[in-house]
């Protein structure tokens, strides 16, 4: 049997989508040139192509927050975005926030407050906390903000919980995560 027009069409479509795309990602201050399938998620590009294992693959559906990274200062679930969409963007992963010798204040607070148990969700929690503190500083309201017109956001426990609700901790370290974030938000010692 010969190929029908439909078979030829699908074969051509498969061939087009299997071509690689070249993208340069600026990750943790370093330009990284990659050739990836255009369907590659940013999460897979970070973990599999750039060998940055800190960003975790949890649900792979944007529901747990384990893959949260900062893109141009905003927190993003890296499993829900394609690598090719981020040419020229500033991407920061947990590896780019601090080092063992010079922890980011949120990292230090997580250590001080024991804001982790198994540690799997911790990189996403920390990146999300950094992003959400910047959002609050910029005056972005959340669902529970009482005065959405105010540029001064009071980071109450309820406000922090709402803003961090996209990050799940299966070990239930939430009270310690909350304490760590609150301590940094209040400028306390870390």
């Amino acid at each position: 049997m010969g190929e029908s027009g439909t078979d030829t069409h699908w074969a051509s479509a498969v061939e087009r989508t299997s071509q690689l795309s070249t993208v340069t990602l600026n990750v943790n201050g370093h330009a990284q040139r990659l050739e990836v399938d255009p369907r590659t998620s940013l999460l897979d590009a970070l973990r599999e192509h750039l060998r940055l294992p800190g960003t975790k693959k949890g649900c792979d559906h944007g529901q747990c927050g384990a893959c949260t990274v900062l893109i141009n200062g905003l927190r993003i679930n890296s499993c829900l975005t394609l690598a090719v969409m981020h040419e020229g963007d500033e991407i920061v992963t947990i590896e780019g926030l601090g080092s063992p010798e010079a922890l980011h204040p949120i990292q230090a607070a997580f250590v001080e407050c024991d804001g982790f148990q198994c540690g799997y969700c911790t990189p996403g929690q920390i990146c999300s906390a950094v992003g959400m503190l910047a959002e609050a500083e910029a005056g972005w309201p959340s669902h529970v903000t009482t005065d959405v017109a105010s540029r001064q956001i009071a980071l109450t426990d309820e406000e922090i919980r709402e803003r961090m609700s996209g990050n799940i901790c299966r070990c239930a370290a939430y009270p310690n995560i909350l304490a760590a974030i609150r301590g940094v938000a209040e400028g306390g010692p870390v």
Side-chain angles (χ1 to χ4, degrees), residues 108-160:
F110 265 66
V111 172
E112 180 68 27
C113 296
D114 196 22
F116 51 87
Q117 295 295 311
C118 77
Y120 196 83
C121 74
T122 305
Q125 295 274 1
I126 289 172
C127 286
S128 188
V130 170
M132 85 84 147
L133 287 173
E135 292 165 10
E137 181 70 25
W140 294 7
S142 78
H143 180 70
V144 299
T145 303
T146 53
D147 182 3
V148 297
S150 174
R151 299 286 293 156
Q152 297 290 325
I153 305 294
L155 284 176
T156 63
D157 288 356
E158 181 184 29
E159 188 76 41
I160 294 170

Side-chain angles (χ1 to χ4, degrees), residues 64-171:
C64 72
C67 68
T68 304
V69 298
L70 299 168
I71 300 179
N72 300 327
L74 302 175
R75 52 193 173 145
I76 303 287
N77 288 344
S78 62
C79 71
L80 293 180
T81 189
L82 300 174
V84 296
M85 295 170 62
H86 297 287
E87 180 89 35
D89 288 343
E90 296 289 328
I91 301 166
V92 177
T93 68
I94 191 70
E95 292 92 347
L97 279 179
S99 67
E101 302 80 32
L103 295 176
H104 184 281
I106 288 287
Q107 289 173 313
F110 265 66
V111 172
E112 180 68 27
C113 296
D114 196 22
F116 51 87
Q117 295 295 311
C118 77
Y120 196 83
C121 74
T122 305
Q125 295 274 1
I126 289 172
C127 286
S128 188
V130 170
M132 85 84 147
L133 287 173
E135 292 165 10
E137 181 70 25
W140 294 7
S142 78
H143 180 70
V144 299
T145 303
T146 53
D147 182 3
V148 297
S150 174
R151 299 286 293 156
Q152 297 290 325
I153 305 294
L155 284 176
T156 63
D157 288 356
E158 181 184 29
E159 188 76 41
I160 294 170
R161 282 188 196 101
E162 170 63 24
R163 290 173 181 268
M164 292 296 292
S165 65
N167 292 80
I168 297 172
C169 174
R170 293 183 184 194
C171 301

Side-chain angles (χ1 to χ4, degrees), residues 49-65:
H49 295 272
L50 297 178
R51 303 290 184 224
L52 293 170
T55 305
K56 303 298 187 211
K57 185 178 276 199
C59 66
D60 212 19
H61 294 286
Q63 297 175 344
C64 72

